[in-house]
Amino acid sequence: DAKTTQPNSMESNEEEPVHLPCNHSTISGTDYIHWYRQLPSQGPEYVIHGLTSNVNNRMASLAIAEDRKSSTLILHRATLRDAAVYYCILRDDPGGGADGLTFGKGTHLITQP
Amino acid sequence: GAVVSQHPSWVICKSGTSVKIECRSLDFQATTMFWYRQFPKQSLMLMATSNEGSKATYEQGVEKDKFLINHASLTLSTLTVTSAHPEDSSFYICSASGLAGLTDTQYFGPGTRLTVL
């Protein structure tokens, strides 16, 4: 899996948008960008993934740079329940389910009331 | 959405004993299940991949004779930590992917916290 770089931690205020960046300058043309998050003392959960176009779902939005060397996970209104470690992972299969995932250190999101 | 359960959620055992952890896909059939380990304040590390009816594939550095994996059905995989020692104390997490193959995501269980005394 190609390497990704994320800030160690970020802080946000409740009810405000949060932009979590991820750099992946060595991404290949067939790599999908996946985001997972891990709430405290729980297993990770899938958030969103995309290839080239921006993606939206009920949890978040994914903005992908035109050159695909970076992406941003957007939580439109952060809540205290969004406090978690967010992982950006590159995979060459669309769903990410074919092989085990390689987790980096991720970004620890701290939300303040 | 797809649900994966693990049992037990936590276990404490004495050094030298064996512990079995179950991972079940509750509402879908999982062709592939994965086992991860997470030490405190560290990220998840993939231990092994198991396909139903086949032998598990272990990552480098993971002892296959110590961490026995059985994936006997499309909804159940088990991880047995044999002769557990304090350094095996960790958070063990399984995940499963379904029959959609390449387009299916991984669904994670809630994890099992193992403490070896």
Side-chain angles (χ1 to χ4, degrees):
Chain A
D1 296 338
K3 184 177 170 129
T4 62
T5 304
Q6 298 177 253
N8 288 334
S9 66
M10 290 184 66
E11 290 189 14
S12 71
N13 294 319
E14 202 175 8
E15 303 299 320
E16 291 186 359
V18 180
H19 291 231
L20 298 167
C22 180
N23 286 319
H24 29 78
S25 58
T26 59
I27 190 171
S28 75
T30 57
D31 282 335
Y32 288 77
I33 303 159
H34 294 257
W35 284 82
Y36 284 78
R37 73 178 185 180
Q38 185 178 21
L39 279 63
S41 299
Q42 295 187 32
E45 63 175 338
Y46 166 81
V47 178
I48 200 167
H49 79 278
L51 182 61
T52 56
S53 304
N54 295 343
V55 184
N56 300 295
N57 66 21
R58 63 175 181 81
M59 289 182 71
S61 295
L62 177 60
I64 301 172
E66 199 168 327
D67 63 5
R68 300 207 329 123
K69 293 186 177 182
S70 65
S71 60
T72 302
L73 179 70
I74 303 167
L75 306 179
H76 295 286
R77 291 180 64 192
T79 70
L80 296 179
R81 290 181 302 227
D82 291 319
V85 179
Y86 287 78
Y87 297 98
C88 169
I89 301 170
L90 301 184
R91 293 297 302 263
D92 59 7
D93 54 313
D99 297 303
L101 297 174
T102 301
F103 288 84
K105 295 183 179 180
T107 297
H108 184 195
L109 176 64
I110 301 163
T111 56
Q112 311 270 14
Chain B
V3 179
V4 175
S5 71
Q6 283 185 239
H7 177 80
S9 54
W10 59 270
V11 58
I12 301 173
C13 70
K14 292 182 179 179
S15 185
T17 61
S18 295
V19 174
K20 180 184 283 188
I21 302 170
E22 292 186 349
C23 176
R24 292 181 186 273
S25 57
L26 297 185
D27 50 2
F28 69 103
Q29 293 182 313
T31 50
T32 307
M33 287 185 168
F34 306 91
W35 287 95
Y36 297 81
R37 180 168 54 181
Q38 185 175 32
F39 292 108
K41 300 197 181 299
Q42 294 188 23
S43 194
L44 284 81
M45 294 291 292
L46 178 67
M47 298 176 66
T49 301
S50 74
N51 292 295
E52 185 262 340
S54 303
K55 288 186 178 180
T57 302
Y58 292 80
E59 295 298 303
Q60 191 172 8
V62 178
E63 300 175 57
K64 62 180 181 180
D65 294 330
K66 181 171 182 61
F67 299 98
L68 302 179
I69 292 172
N70 185 286
H71 190 167
S73 77
L74 284 173
T75 59
L76 173 65
S77 176
T78 60
L79 168 69
T80 301
V81 183
T82 62
S83 187
H85 289 97
E87 57 266 29
D88 298 322
S89 298
S90 188
F91 193 45
Y92 291 86
I93 305 167
C94 72
S95 71
S97 60
L99 296 176
L102 290 179
T103 61
D104 205 4
T105 188
Q106 285 192 33
Y107 305 97
F108 286 83
T112 297
R113 190 163 302 281
L114 169 64
T115 302
V116 184
L117 302 177

mmCIF file of all heavy atoms in Angstrom, chain B residues 51-90:
data_model
loop_
_atom_site.group_PDB
_atom_site.id
_atom_site.type_symbol
_atom_site.label_atom_id
_atom_site.label_comp_id
_atom_site.label_asym_id
_atom_site.label_seq_id
_atom_site.Cartn_x
_atom_site.Cartn_y
_atom_site.Cartn_z
ATOM 1 N N ASN B 51 -9.527 -17.324 4.771
ATOM 2 C CA ASN B 51 -10.618 -17.568 3.844
ATOM 3 C C ASN B 51 -11.329 -18.844 4.260
ATOM 4 O O ASN B 51 -10.700 -19.809 4.679
ATOM 5 C CB ASN B 51 -10.094 -17.708 2.414
ATOM 6 C CG ASN B 51 -9.558 -16.399 1.886
ATOM 7 O OD1 ASN B 51 -10.292 -15.440 1.721
ATOM 8 N ND2 ASN B 51 -8.274 -16.349 1.637
ATOM 9 N N GLU B 52 -12.630 -18.827 4.137
ATOM 10 C CA GLU B 52 -13.439 -19.951 4.572
ATOM 11 C C GLU B 52 -12.962 -21.240 3.928
ATOM 12 O O GLU B 52 -12.807 -21.305 2.706
ATOM 13 C CB GLU B 52 -14.912 -19.689 4.240
ATOM 14 C CG GLU B 52 -15.866 -20.746 4.752
ATOM 15 C CD GLU B 52 -16.235 -21.766 3.687
ATOM 16 O OE1 GLU B 52 -16.075 -21.471 2.497
ATOM 17 O OE2 GLU B 52 -16.690 -22.858 4.058
ATOM 18 N N GLY B 53 -12.690 -22.226 4.763
ATOM 19 C CA GLY B 53 -12.279 -23.533 4.285
ATOM 20 C C GLY B 53 -10.820 -23.664 3.929
ATOM 21 O O GLY B 53 -10.374 -24.740 3.516
ATOM 22 N N SER B 54 -10.049 -22.595 4.075
ATOM 23 C CA SER B 54 -8.615 -22.640 3.739
ATOM 24 C C SER B 54 -7.771 -22.311 4.957
ATOM 25 O O SER B 54 -8.264 -21.777 5.942
ATOM 26 C CB SER B 54 -8.298 -21.632 2.628
ATOM 27 O OG SER B 54 -9.074 -21.867 1.488
ATOM 28 N N LYS B 55 -6.493 -22.627 4.845
ATOM 29 C CA LYS B 55 -5.575 -22.256 5.925
ATOM 30 C C LYS B 55 -5.353 -20.754 5.918
ATOM 31 O O LYS B 55 -5.332 -20.117 4.868
ATOM 32 C CB LYS B 55 -4.228 -22.966 5.738
ATOM 33 C CG LYS B 55 -4.268 -24.454 6.038
ATOM 34 C CD LYS B 55 -2.873 -25.042 5.960
ATOM 35 C CE LYS B 55 -2.902 -26.533 6.315
ATOM 36 N NZ LYS B 55 -1.550 -27.138 6.247
ATOM 37 N N ALA B 56 -5.139 -20.219 7.088
ATOM 38 C CA ALA B 56 -4.915 -18.781 7.197
ATOM 39 C C ALA B 56 -3.533 -18.402 6.676
ATOM 40 O O ALA B 56 -2.599 -19.201 6.708
ATOM 41 C CB ALA B 56 -5.059 -18.350 8.655
ATOM 42 N N THR B 57 -3.437 -17.175 6.214
ATOM 43 C CA THR B 57 -2.154 -16.615 5.780
ATOM 44 C C THR B 57 -1.694 -15.626 6.833
ATOM 45 O O THR B 57 -2.407 -14.668 7.121
ATOM 46 C CB THR B 57 -2.301 -15.900 4.430
ATOM 47 O OG1 THR B 57 -2.805 -16.816 3.460
ATOM 48 C CG2 THR B 57 -0.957 -15.350 3.970
ATOM 49 N N TYR B 58 -0.524 -15.853 7.394
ATOM 50 C CA TYR B 58 -0.038 -15.023 8.482
ATOM 51 C C TYR B 58 0.943 -13.972 7.985
ATOM 52 O O TYR B 58 1.717 -14.213 7.055
ATOM 53 C CB TYR B 58 0.645 -15.896 9.539
ATOM 54 C CG TYR B 58 -0.306 -16.802 10.281
ATOM 55 C CD1 TYR B 58 -0.749 -18.004 9.725
ATOM 56 C CD2 TYR B 58 -0.785 -16.444 11.527
ATOM 57 C CE1 TYR B 58 -1.641 -18.824 10.394
ATOM 58 C CE2 TYR B 58 -1.674 -17.261 12.218
ATOM 59 C CZ TYR B 58 -2.098 -18.445 11.645
ATOM 60 O OH TYR B 58 -2.983 -19.251 12.323
ATOM 61 N N GLU B 59 0.913 -12.816 8.617
ATOM 62 C CA GLU B 59 1.865 -11.761 8.300
ATOM 63 C C GLU B 59 3.238 -12.129 8.886
ATOM 64 O O GLU B 59 3.350 -12.903 9.835
ATOM 65 C CB GLU B 59 1.387 -10.431 8.868
ATOM 66 C CG GLU B 59 0.104 -9.937 8.235
ATOM 67 C CD GLU B 59 0.230 -9.683 6.748
ATOM 68 O OE1 GLU B 59 1.106 -8.877 6.349
ATOM 69 O OE2 GLU B 59 -0.537 -10.303 5.967
ATOM 70 N N GLN B 60 4.238 -11.531 8.295
ATOM 71 C CA GLN B 60 5.594 -11.792 8.761
ATOM 72 C C GLN B 60 5.735 -11.424 10.225
ATOM 73 O O GLN B 60 5.275 -10.353 10.649
ATOM 74 C CB GLN B 60 6.574 -10.974 7.916
ATOM 75 C CG GLN B 60 8.017 -11.359 8.116
ATOM 76 C CD GLN B 60 8.936 -10.668 7.113
ATOM 77 O OE1 GLN B 60 8.509 -9.788 6.369
ATOM 78 N NE2 GLN B 60 10.182 -11.061 7.102
ATOM 79 N N GLY B 61 6.342 -12.319 10.977
ATOM 80 C CA GLY B 61 6.564 -12.065 12.392
ATOM 81 C C GLY B 61 5.457 -12.573 13.294
ATOM 82 O O GLY B 61 5.593 -12.520 14.517
ATOM 83 N N VAL B 62 4.371 -13.056 12.737
ATOM 84 C CA VAL B 62 3.274 -13.599 13.537
ATOM 85 C C VAL B 62 3.405 -15.124 13.560
ATOM 86 O O VAL B 62 3.419 -15.764 12.511
ATOM 87 C CB VAL B 62 1.901 -13.194 12.960
ATOM 88 C CG1 VAL B 62 0.775 -13.825 13.779
ATOM 89 C CG2 VAL B 62 1.764 -11.687 12.925
ATOM 90 N N GLU B 63 3.499 -15.683 14.762
ATOM 91 C CA GLU B 63 3.710 -17.127 14.894
ATOM 92 C C GLU B 63 2.405 -17.890 14.655
ATOM 93 O O GLU B 63 1.464 -17.785 15.446
ATOM 94 C CB GLU B 63 4.225 -17.442 16.298
ATOM 95 C CG GLU B 63 5.539 -16.771 16.657
ATOM 96 C CD GLU B 63 5.894 -17.043 18.109
ATOM 97 O OE1 GLU B 63 5.978 -18.233 18.477
ATOM 98 O OE2 GLU B 63 6.077 -16.082 18.877
ATOM 99 N N LYS B 64 2.371 -18.671 13.619
ATOM 100 C CA LYS B 64 1.132 -19.382 13.287
ATOM 101 C C LYS B 64 0.811 -20.476 14.294
ATOM 102 O O LYS B 64 -0.346 -20.848 14.463
ATOM 103 C CB LYS B 64 1.206 -19.967 11.882
ATOM 104 C CG LYS B 64 2.300 -20.993 11.676
ATOM 105 C CD LYS B 64 2.280 -21.510 10.243
ATOM 106 C CE LYS B 64 3.354 -22.565 10.026
ATOM 107 N NZ LYS B 64 3.351 -23.089 8.643
ATOM 108 N N ASP B 65 1.827 -21.020 14.961
ATOM 109 C CA ASP B 65 1.559 -22.065 15.951
ATOM 110 C C ASP B 65 1.075 -21.479 17.272
ATOM 111 O O ASP B 65 0.532 -22.191 18.108
ATOM 112 C CB ASP B 65 2.816 -22.890 16.198
ATOM 113 C CG ASP B 65 3.230 -23.681 14.967
ATOM 114 O OD1 ASP B 65 2.325 -24.050 14.187
ATOM 115 O OD2 ASP B 65 4.432 -23.900 14.770
ATOM 116 N N LYS B 66 1.277 -20.192 17.448
ATOM 117 C CA LYS B 66 0.831 -19.548 18.676
ATOM 118 C C LYS B 66 -0.559 -18.948 18.499
ATOM 119 O O LYS B 66 -1.367 -18.963 19.406
ATOM 120 C CB LYS B 66 1.803 -18.445 19.071
ATOM 121 C CG LYS B 66 1.411 -17.740 20.357
ATOM 122 C CD LYS B 66 2.513 -16.821 20.821
ATOM 123 C CE LYS B 66 2.120 -16.170 22.131
ATOM 124 N NZ LYS B 66 1.912 -17.158 23.200
ATOM 125 N N PHE B 67 -0.818 -18.420 17.338
ATOM 126 C CA PHE B 67 -2.104 -17.802 17.044
ATOM 127 C C PHE B 67 -2.824 -18.672 16.009
ATOM 128 O O PHE B 67 -2.635 -18.528 14.807
ATOM 129 C CB PHE B 67 -1.909 -16.379 16.520
ATOM 130 C CG PHE B 67 -1.234 -15.461 17.493
ATOM 131 C CD1 PHE B 67 0.128 -15.202 17.398
ATOM 132 C CD2 PHE B 67 -1.957 -14.868 18.517
ATOM 133 C CE1 PHE B 67 0.762 -14.353 18.307
ATOM 134 C CE2 PHE B 67 -1.331 -14.018 19.433
ATOM 135 C CZ PHE B 67 0.021 -13.772 19.326
ATOM 136 N N LEU B 68 -3.651 -19.563 16.523
ATOM 137 C CA LEU B 68 -4.344 -20.510 15.662
ATOM 138 C C LEU B 68 -5.645 -19.910 15.158
ATOM 139 O O LEU B 68 -6.464 -19.439 15.937
ATOM 140 C CB LEU B 68 -4.642 -21.806 16.431
ATOM 141 C CG LEU B 68 -3.426 -22.535 17.017
ATOM 142 C CD1 LEU B 68 -3.869 -23.773 17.772
ATOM 143 C CD2 LEU B 68 -2.424 -22.895 15.927
ATOM 144 N N ILE B 69 -5.826 -19.939 13.848
ATOM 145 C CA ILE B 69 -7.015 -19.350 13.249
ATOM 146 C C ILE B 69 -7.783 -20.433 12.523
ATOM 147 O O ILE B 69 -7.221 -21.205 11.740
ATOM 148 C CB ILE B 69 -6.636 -18.214 12.286
ATOM 149 C CG1 ILE B 69 -6.055 -17.041 13.086
ATOM 150 C CG2 ILE B 69 -7.843 -17.771 11.465
ATOM 151 C CD1 ILE B 69 -5.470 -15.946 12.230
ATOM 152 N N ASN B 70 -9.084 -20.452 12.780
ATOM 153 C CA ASN B 70 -9.980 -21.394 12.109
ATOM 154 C C ASN B 70 -11.134 -20.633 11.505
ATOM 155 O O ASN B 70 -11.771 -19.821 12.167
ATOM 156 C CB ASN B 70 -10.502 -22.428 13.120
ATOM 157 C CG ASN B 70 -11.348 -23.494 12.451
ATOM 158 O OD1 ASN B 70 -12.485 -23.249 12.072
ATOM 159 N ND2 ASN B 70 -10.784 -24.661 12.291
ATOM 160 N N HIS B 71 -11.400 -20.852 10.237
ATOM 161 C CA HIS B 71 -12.500 -20.171 9.537
ATOM 162 C C HIS B 71 -13.363 -21.251 8.910
ATOM 163 O O HIS B 71 -13.345 -21.462 7.704
ATOM 164 C CB HIS B 71 -11.910 -19.227 8.485
ATOM 165 C CG HIS B 71 -12.898 -18.304 7.867
ATOM 166 N ND1 HIS B 71 -12.498 -17.219 7.093
ATOM 167 C CD2 HIS B 71 -14.247 -18.270 7.887
ATOM 168 C CE1 HIS B 71 -13.570 -16.580 6.665
ATOM 169 N NE2 HIS B 71 -14.634 -17.184 7.135
ATOM 170 N N ALA B 72 -14.106 -21.931 9.765
ATOM 171 C CA ALA B 72 -14.809 -23.138 9.353
ATOM 172 C C ALA B 72 -16.101 -22.880 8.599
ATOM 173 O O ALA B 72 -16.604 -23.755 7.901
ATOM 174 C CB ALA B 72 -15.098 -24.001 10.573
ATOM 175 N N SER B 73 -16.659 -21.690 8.749
ATOM 176 C CA SER B 73 -17.904 -21.396 8.048
ATOM 177 C C SER B 73 -17.857 -19.973 7.522
ATOM 178 O O SER B 73 -16.948 -19.210 7.844
ATOM 179 C CB SER B 73 -19.099 -21.562 8.985
ATOM 180 O OG SER B 73 -19.212 -20.457 9.865
ATOM 181 N N LEU B 74 -18.856 -19.623 6.740
ATOM 182 C CA LEU B 74 -18.889 -18.283 6.148
ATOM 183 C C LEU B 74 -19.298 -17.207 7.138
ATOM 184 O O LEU B 74 -19.357 -16.042 6.788
ATOM 185 C CB LEU B 74 -19.839 -18.273 4.950
ATOM 186 C CG LEU B 74 -19.311 -18.927 3.675
ATOM 187 C CD1 LEU B 74 -20.390 -18.999 2.615
ATOM 188 C CD2 LEU B 74 -18.101 -18.172 3.131
ATOM 189 N N THR B 75 -19.592 -17.593 8.359
ATOM 190 C CA THR B 75 -19.995 -16.596 9.347
ATOM 191 C C THR B 75 -19.172 -16.638 10.625
ATOM 192 O O THR B 75 -19.425 -15.864 11.542
ATOM 193 C CB THR B 75 -21.483 -16.781 9.728
ATOM 194 O OG1 THR B 75 -21.666 -18.088 10.263
ATOM 195 C CG2 THR B 75 -22.394 -16.567 8.523
ATOM 196 N N LEU B 76 -18.191 -17.527 10.705
ATOM 197 C CA LEU B 76 -17.454 -17.668 11.953
ATOM 198 C C LEU B 76 -15.971 -17.917 11.715
ATOM 199 O O LEU B 76 -15.584 -18.783 10.937
ATOM 200 C CB LEU B 76 -18.014 -18.824 12.776
ATOM 201 C CG LEU B 76 -17.238 -19.206 14.055
ATOM 202 C CD1 LEU B 76 -17.279 -18.059 15.062
ATOM 203 C CD2 LEU B 76 -17.811 -20.478 14.658
ATOM 204 N N SER B 77 -15.152 -17.114 12.398
ATOM 205 C CA SER B 77 -13.722 -17.359 12.450
ATOM 206 C C SER B 77 -13.300 -17.287 13.909
ATOM 207 O O SER B 77 -13.847 -16.501 14.678
ATOM 208 C CB SER B 77 -12.951 -16.317 11.633
ATOM 209 O OG SER B 77 -11.547 -16.504 11.758
ATOM 210 N N THR B 78 -12.349 -18.132 14.294
ATOM 211 C CA THR B 78 -11.860 -18.093 15.662
ATOM 212 C C THR B 78 -10.352 -17.904 15.684
ATOM 213 O O THR B 78 -9.647 -18.388 14.810
ATOM 214 C CB THR B 78 -12.210 -19.383 16.432
ATOM 215 O OG1 THR B 78 -11.610 -20.502 15.768
ATOM 216 C CG2 THR B 78 -13.713 -19.585 16.520
ATOM 217 N N LEU B 79 -9.912 -17.176 16.692
ATOM 218 C CA LEU B 79 -8.489 -16.967 16.946
ATOM 219 C C LEU B 79 -8.188 -17.542 18.318
ATOM 220 O O LEU B 79 -8.817 -17.132 19.298
ATOM 221 C CB LEU B 79 -8.144 -15.479 16.919
ATOM 222 C CG LEU B 79 -6.759 -15.082 17.445
ATOM 223 C CD1 LEU B 79 -5.666 -15.578 16.512
ATOM 224 C CD2 LEU B 79 -6.647 -13.572 17.604
ATOM 225 N N THR B 80 -7.289 -18.497 18.379
ATOM 226 C CA THR B 80 -6.883 -19.066 19.656
ATOM 227 C C THR B 80 -5.451 -18.652 19.956
ATOM 228 O O THR B 80 -4.549 -18.940 19.155
ATOM 229 C CB THR B 80 -6.996 -20.601 19.653
ATOM 230 O OG1 THR B 80 -8.346 -20.981 19.371
ATOM 231 C CG2 THR B 80 -6.593 -21.175 21.006
ATOM 232 N N VAL B 81 -5.285 -17.968 21.069
ATOM 233 C CA VAL B 81 -3.946 -17.604 21.526
ATOM 234 C C VAL B 81 -3.480 -18.719 22.445
ATOM 235 O O VAL B 81 -4.040 -18.915 23.531
ATOM 236 C CB VAL B 81 -3.960 -16.257 22.274
ATOM 237 C CG1 VAL B 81 -2.546 -15.854 22.675
ATOM 238 C CG2 VAL B 81 -4.612 -15.177 21.421
ATOM 239 N N THR B 82 -2.514 -19.483 22.004
ATOM 240 C CA THR B 82 -2.062 -20.631 22.790
ATOM 241 C C THR B 82 -0.916 -20.231 23.707
ATOM 242 O O THR B 82 -0.094 -19.380 23.368
ATOM 243 C CB THR B 82 -1.591 -21.760 21.866
ATOM 244 O OG1 THR B 82 -0.486 -21.294 21.089
ATOM 245 C CG2 THR B 82 -2.706 -22.202 20.925
ATOM 246 N N SER B 83 -0.905 -20.841 24.887
ATOM 247 C CA SER B 83 0.137 -20.561 25.865
ATOM 248 C C SER B 83 0.399 -19.055 25.965
ATOM 249 O O SER B 83 1.512 -18.575 25.703
ATOM 250 C CB SER B 83 1.421 -21.301 25.486
ATOM 251 O OG SER B 83 2.404 -21.169 26.499
ATOM 252 N N ALA B 84 -0.642 -18.356 26.331
ATOM 253 C CA ALA B 84 -0.565 -16.895 26.363
ATOM 254 C C ALA B 84 0.414 -16.413 27.428
ATOM 255 O O ALA B 84 0.547 -17.010 28.499
ATOM 256 C CB ALA B 84 -1.951 -16.314 26.629
ATOM 257 N N HIS B 85 1.101 -15.324 27.109
ATOM 258 C CA HIS B 85 2.021 -14.686 28.042
ATOM 259 C C HIS B 85 1.676 -13.200 28.149
ATOM 260 O O HIS B 85 0.954 -12.667 27.288
ATOM 261 C CB HIS B 85 3.461 -14.895 27.577
ATOM 262 C CG HIS B 85 3.933 -16.298 27.741
ATOM 263 N ND1 HIS B 85 3.914 -17.220 26.723
ATOM 264 C CD2 HIS B 85 4.404 -16.958 28.826
ATOM 265 C CE1 HIS B 85 4.358 -18.375 27.155
ATOM 266 N NE2 HIS B 85 4.658 -18.253 28.436
ATOM 267 N N PRO B 86 2.156 -12.531 29.169
ATOM 268 C CA PRO B 86 1.806 -11.115 29.344
ATOM 269 C C PRO B 86 2.047 -10.258 28.110
ATOM 270 O O PRO B 86 1.280 -9.324 27.855
ATOM 271 C CB PRO B 86 2.694 -10.688 30.519
ATOM 272 C CG PRO B 86 2.834 -11.935 31.331
ATOM 273 C CD PRO B 86 2.916 -13.043 30.326
ATOM 274 N N GLU B 87 3.054 -10.566 27.326
ATOM 275 C CA GLU B 87 3.312 -9.752 26.131
ATOM 276 C C GLU B 87 2.256 -9.949 25.043
ATOM 277 O O GLU B 87 2.241 -9.193 24.050
ATOM 278 C CB GLU B 87 4.703 -10.057 25.558
ATOM 279 C CG GLU B 87 4.931 -11.509 25.197
ATOM 280 C CD GLU B 87 5.595 -12.295 26.312
ATOM 281 O OE1 GLU B 87 5.401 -11.948 27.500
ATOM 282 O OE2 GLU B 87 6.314 -13.267 25.988
ATOM 283 N N ASP B 88 1.388 -10.950 25.201
ATOM 284 C CA ASP B 88 0.274 -11.143 24.265
ATOM 285 C C ASP B 88 -0.934 -10.283 24.642
ATOM 286 O O ASP B 88 -1.924 -10.249 23.897
ATOM 287 C CB ASP B 88 -0.155 -12.614 24.227
ATOM 288 C CG ASP B 88 0.954 -13.530 23.752
ATOM 289 O OD1 ASP B 88 1.694 -13.114 22.829
ATOM 290 O OD2 ASP B 88 1.105 -14.630 24.314
ATOM 291 N N SER B 89 -0.858 -9.627 25.782
ATOM 292 C CA SER B 89 -1.952 -8.742 26.195
ATOM 293 C C SER B 89 -2.108 -7.648 25.147
ATOM 294 O O SER B 89 -1.147 -6.932 24.827
ATOM 295 C CB SER B 89 -1.651 -8.116 27.562
ATOM 296 O OG SER B 89 -1.548 -9.116 28.553
ATOM 297 N N SER B 90 -3.305 -7.529 24.620
ATOM 298 C CA SER B 90 -3.530 -6.582 23.524
ATOM 299 C C SER B 90 -5.016 -6.505 23.225
ATOM 300 O O SER B 90 -5.827 -7.196 23.837
ATOM 301 C CB SER B 90 -2.773 -7.065 22.275
ATOM 302 O OG SER B 90 -2.809 -6.094 21.250
#
